[in-house]
């Protein structure tokens, strides 16, 4: 038997031990935790919809109408009218022909990649892609080529070497730990040139970037995509609910329904959640002020952080990490912020590369300017040196 206690002790000694915090109450800028109220900058609830009264009401209505559990998988009897309507609305939102709901983003990425490629094929991925994309490629058995972050020459080289096989490029749209935006025009051009699929994981982009929150395509003012572009969106971030979807061509969606194991062999997402997500979509579509307010907060934070010479990263999204390098240091700063009533998680390897530990700050449309000022004030007391 493996020595679990020994491995855990080693992990602790390396400052890589992870612990959960029990939160009493809803998501929002102020979290209740162990009787304290913490000003939180670590949720992915970018638009502040997770606890929106209209979403709560829609979830209740959804439960009245559909009950709580979906009872079975989509292909048996779990596919409801709410799922169907949400799929239509999400396809429209992404400018794609069809959309297909999955229970989580992890499973959506898994479903697409393992359905489209196998051991005869190649998958090219940015080194900073989300774990679910990397894991899916590994499980697919395809040859995995990882290019250094944003390195389009390296990607081109990998694609050019590959002349025979079916290929798929996968990239985060907004990188989850760095907050920067993938070079989508170049990715699309390379996919076109090398007749490759392009899977774009828009978990941190939908609802957030582009004037109407339609993500990377809108951000770059790109036209409705060709069939080779596949969008994955997650509902647990800006949408404020949970679940995920894949959007793409009719043939792609039909193929996933027939073959994607993470679609077929699992219970459908709760219909009440699907019903509530229609309200999220309506708020995303109609309340531009959430994105505008968020942009203002981002500018305010970056401006203040620059004045304090904090180690900002090149991000224009609500993900604003401070790069510290050392895991122990990141953990210490996170603990000292807690003492000041501020919750920011220390992100350490293997979530980020070795030597790239950081405080991952995320802003939400429900933060106020004063919250950002409090954050800057607390950070100034830490006397963080630039690395
Ligand atoms: C959160 C996230 C996922 C996983 O989505 P879940 O619905 O939480 O499983 C996938 N990709 C990226 C880029 C993410 O940030």
């Amino acid at each position: 038997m493996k020595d679990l206690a020994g491995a855990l002790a080693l992990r602790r000694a390396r400052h890589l031990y992870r612990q959960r915090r029990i939160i009493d109450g809803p998501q929002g800028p102020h979290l209740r935790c162990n009787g304290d109220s913490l000003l939180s900058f670590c949720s992915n609830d970018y638009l502040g919809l997770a606890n929106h009264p209209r979403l709560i009401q829609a979830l209740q209505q959804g439960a009245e109408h559909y009950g709580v559990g979906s009872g079975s998988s989509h292909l048996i009897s779990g596919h409801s009218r709410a799922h169907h309507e949400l799929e239509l609305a999400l396809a429209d939102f992404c400018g794609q022909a069809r959309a297909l709901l999955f229970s989580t983003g992890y499973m959506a990425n898994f479903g697409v990649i393992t359905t489209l490629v196998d051991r005869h094929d190649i998958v090219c991925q940015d080194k900073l892609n989300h774990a679910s994309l990397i894991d899916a490629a590994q499980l697919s058995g395809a040859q995995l080529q990882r290019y250094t972050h944003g390195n389009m020459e390296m990607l081109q080289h990998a694609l050019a070497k590959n002349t025979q096989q079916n290929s798929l490029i996968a990239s985060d749209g907004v990188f989850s730990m760095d907050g920067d935006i993938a070079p989508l025009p170049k990715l699309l051009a390379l996919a076109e040139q090398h007749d490759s699929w392009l899977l774009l994981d828009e978990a941190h982009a939908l609802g957030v970037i582009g004037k109407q929150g339609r993500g990377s395509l809108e951000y770059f003012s790109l036209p409705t995509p060709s069939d080779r572009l596949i969008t994955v969106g997650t509902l647990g971030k800006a949408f404020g609910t949970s679940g995920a979807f894949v959007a793409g061509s009719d043939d792609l969606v039909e193929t996933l329904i027939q073959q994607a194991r993470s679609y077929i062999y699992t219970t459908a997402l709760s219909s009440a959640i699907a019903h509530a997500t229609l309200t999220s979509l309506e708020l995303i579509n109609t309340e531009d002020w959430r994105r505008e307010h968020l942009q203002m907060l981002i500018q305010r934070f970056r401006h203040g952080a620059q004045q304090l010479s904090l180690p900002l990263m090149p991000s224009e999204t609500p993900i604003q990490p401070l790069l510290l390098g050392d895991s122990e240091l990141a953990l210490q700063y996170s603990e000292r912020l807690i003492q000041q009533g501020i919750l920011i998680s220390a992100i350490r390897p293997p979530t980020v590369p070795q030597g790239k530990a950081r405080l991952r700050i995320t802003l939400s449309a429900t933060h106020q300017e004063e919250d950002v000022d409090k954050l800057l004030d607390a950070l100034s007391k830490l006397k963080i040196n630039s690395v």
Side-chain angles (χ1 to χ4, degrees):
M1 255 167 74
K2 216 170 151 185
D3 176 17
L4 297 182
L8 286 168
L10 188 63
R11 194 175 272 271
R12 211 183 266 279
R14 289 180 178 159
H15 309 284
L16 296 176
Y17 202 81
R18 296 158 186 245
Q19 271 168 309
R20 300 169 306 168
R21 213 176 285 284
I22 298 176
I23 306 297
D24 291 296
Q27 284 299 312
H30 301 277
L31 295 181
R32 286 214 75 73
C33 182
N34 286 326
D36 294 329
S37 169
L38 293 174
L39 179 57
S40 159
F41 291 95
C42 43
S43 139
N44 299 316
D45 179 26
Y46 299 118
L47 299 180
L49 300 184
N51 187 37
H52 193 289
R54 288 207 40 215
L55 252 70
I56 296 171
Q57 194 188 23
L59 183 70
Q60 285 166 341
Q61 284 168 349
E64 296 276 342
H65 199 79
Y66 297 100
V68 178
S70 56
S72 73
S73 65
H74 286 277
L75 286 170
I76 305 298
S77 66
H79 188 64
S80 71
R81 176 71 50 196
H83 294 129
H84 184 70
E85 282 174 3
L86 181 59
E87 287 181 346
L88 294 177
L90 289 169
D92 180 59
F93 182 68
C94 293
Q96 296 270 23
R98 294 275 300 274
L100 186 70
L101 286 171
F102 281 75
S103 296
T104 70
Y106 197 101
M107 293 164 78
N109 282 333
F110 180 91
V112 175
I113 295 182
T114 57
T115 299
L116 294 183
V117 295
D118 61 25
R119 62 193 175 80
H120 305 292
D121 306 322
I122 89 160
V123 175
C124 299
Q125 297 209 22
D126 192 294
K127 278 208 168 156
L128 297 189
N129 274 356
H130 191 262
S132 56
L133 291 166
I134 307 280
D135 294 359
Q138 267 158 357
L139 284 160
S140 74
Q143 187 192 332
L144 174 59
Q145 303 254 354
R146 298 177 73 183
Y147 53 92
T148 49
H149 185 44
N151 190 332
M152 295 293 102
E153 272 127 63
M154 210 169 148
L155 170 59
Q156 173 149 37
H157 193 71
L159 289 166
K161 267 199 319 199
N162 165 65
T163 47
Q164 309 290 312
Q165 299 137 301
N166 178 35
S167 62
L168 182 146
I169 306 165
S171 178
D172 284 18
V174 168
F175 286 89
S176 55
M177 296 299 137
D178 287 44
D180 58 334
I181 299 171
L184 183 57
K186 187 73 192 171
L187 285 168
L188 275 171
L190 286 175
E192 200 67 49
Q193 198 179 330
H194 297 277
D195 189 26
S196 179
W197 302 96
L198 175 60
L199 168 54
L200 192 66
D201 179 339
E202 293 275 86
H204 300 274
L206 294 180
V208 181
I209 67 169
K211 187 167 175 340
Q212 295 177 286
R214 298 189 176 207
S216 302
L217 276 177
E218 189 189 17
Y219 175 88
F220 286 106
S221 304
L222 293 167
T224 306
S226 74
D227 282 359
R228 69 180 70 257
L229 181 76
I230 302 163
T231 311
V232 165
T234 64
L235 306 175
K237 288 162 183 152
F239 284 81
T241 60
S242 80
F245 64 96
V246 176
S249 69
D250 189 41
D251 285 346
L252 172 79
V253 166
E254 284 302 320
T255 304
L256 293 173
I257 294 172
Q258 310 310 313
Q259 293 182 40
R261 294 172 69 85
S262 59
Y263 182 76
I264 299 169
Y265 299 107
T266 199
T267 302
L269 182 79
S270 161
S271 297
I273 293 277
H275 182 75
T277 307
L278 282 164
T279 300
S280 311
L281 202 49
E282 186 197 322
L283 293 170
I284 288 171
N285 278 326
T286 54
E287 299 197 345
D288 286 352
W289 68 263
R290 290 178 188 274
R291 278 176 291 281
E292 287 156 16
H293 180 69
L294 200 44
Q295 270 310 317
M296 188 272 292
L297 296 174
I298 294 167
Q299 298 314 323
R300 190 176 185 91
F301 174 72
R302 287 189 69 86
H303 179 75
Q306 266 153 8
Q307 301 218 305
L308 295 169
S309 304
L310 294 174
L312 282 173
M313 294 180 69
S315 160
E316 53 187 290
T317 69
I319 303 166
Q320 291 292 328
L322 296 178
L323 187 60
L324 300 168
D326 183 56
S327 294
E328 184 179 3
L329 199 62
L331 210 52
Q332 276 175 8
Y333 283 138
S334 172
E335 278 158 16
R336 284 168 59 196
L337 285 164
I338 292 271
Q339 286 160 13
Q340 298 192 63
I342 291 186
L343 183 63
I344 298 175
S345 39
I347 307 283
R348 293 157 286 165
T351 307
V352 291
Q354 284 298 331
K356 293 274 176 78
R358 66 198 64 186
L359 291 174
R360 179 177 180 266
I361 294 166
T362 53
L363 297 165
S364 162
T366 39
H367 282 122
Q368 303 297 320
E369 287 171 59
E370 303 85 76
D371 297 331
V372 170
D373 296 348
K374 269 188 214 151
L375 168 62
L376 288 165
D377 187 51
L379 289 168
S380 76
K381 291 187 183 136
L382 299 181
K383 308 250 181 298
I384 297 175
N385 294 316
S386 277
V387 281

